[in-house]
Structure formats: structure tokens, C-alpha cells
Amino acid sequence: MAKVILHIGLPKTATTLLQQFVFNKLNDKIDYLGVIQPREEKQNNLFLEILALTSCSNTEYLQRLETVKNAVGNRLNMRGLPLLISEEVFSVDSGEVTWQEKLNRLGQLFEGDELTVLVTVREPVS
């Protein structure tokens, strides 16, 4: 069973800092597949596929799910390290897809994998 760590950084919880200065420095311990900061940098194609899968129409989601799931499986087998995926927008509505549906889709994508969900939060401030 493959290990996947899904980091859902709620907005304003230092997600960018973690992506820029922590996650990408753990190459010998994890396979980082998340946002590369700054966002203007070229993002990994598989990461972009996962991101698109969470936000597309239901029809497109059903058509693409198995393809993306297979690509993730191949990535997991390639390095044999836990896969860390980090993104803020998983917790934000986009178009017609709610954040709840995005999380449901991620759950389906990683069904059968050992999934750990890491959510960063902060004290609400006005």
C-alpha cells in the first residue's frame, strides 16, 4: 500500500512558506508533488492533472479519474517514497465545484492508498 500525504493548506496558514522552504527540501524522505513556489515557476504535469481533476465538470472527472489514478500509481512506484501533495485551492470553491466535492474527489483518487491528511489552520483574525 502506497503512502500519500495530502496537505490542504487553508488560506493564510503559511502554505506558501511550507511549499517554498520546507517540503521541497525533503527530497530524500518524500516525493514532493505540490505547488512549486513561486507559482510562476513551471509546475509538475501530474500535479496539474490532479488539480484539474478536482475542479472539472462531473463528466470530465469521470472520464479522467482512472487515467490520473494510474499516473499517480506509477509515480508512487517510481521512487518508493511517500508522496506529498500540497495545495491551498483544494479548500476553496472553484466554478461549480465546492471544496467539499474537491475533497471527495481526492478521496476517490487515493482510495486504496495509505492516505494521511495534513490540514494547516490558524486562529481567525478580523
Side-chain angles (χ1 to χ4, degrees):
M1 184 181 293
K3 275 191 165 178
V4 177
I5 303 163
L6 179 60
H7 173 239
I8 302 169
L10 298 174
K12 303 300 180 195
T13 60
T15 302
T16 301
L17 177 108
L18 290 169
Q19 293 164 338
Q20 191 168 10
F21 297 108
V22 178
F23 294 155
N24 64 355
K25 306 280 192 275
L26 301 172
N27 291 339
D28 58 334
K29 300 197 181 349
I30 62 165
D31 182 10
Y32 180 65
L33 183 65
V35 173
I36 298 169
Q37 293 291 354
R39 279 192 186 265
E40 294 77 34
E41 296 288 321
K42 183 171 168 63
Q43 305 298 319
N44 178 283
N45 286 334
L46 181 54
F47 170 72
L48 294 175
E49 284 291 321
I50 293 168
L51 195 58
L53 188 69
T54 63
S55 300
C56 63
S57 70
N58 285 331
T59 303
E60 190 176 347
Y61 169 75
L62 293 172
Q63 291 172 344
R64 297 171 63 182
L65 177 60
E66 285 307 311
T67 302
V68 176
K69 195 172 187 117
N70 288 336
V72 168
N74 290 339
R75 176 76 180 238
L76 284 164
N77 292 329
M78 187 172 65
R79 293 197 57 200
L81 294 171
L83 182 64
L84 171 63
I85 301 168
S86 175
E87 177 55 276
E88 270 184 357
V89 300
F90 292 148
S91 66
V92 179
D93 294 351
S94 60
E96 296 179 22
V97 181
T98 65
W99 64 268
Q100 294 96 330
E101 180 60 25
K102 288 180 181 184
L103 297 184
N104 184 48
R105 289 177 177 190
L106 289 166
Q108 291 173 359
L109 177 62
F110 298 113
E111 188 175 352
D113 295 319
E114 183 180 330
L115 180 63
T116 300
V117 178
L118 170 65
V119 180
T120 49
V121 296
R122 70 176 174 92
E123 183 69 30
V125 179
S126 60

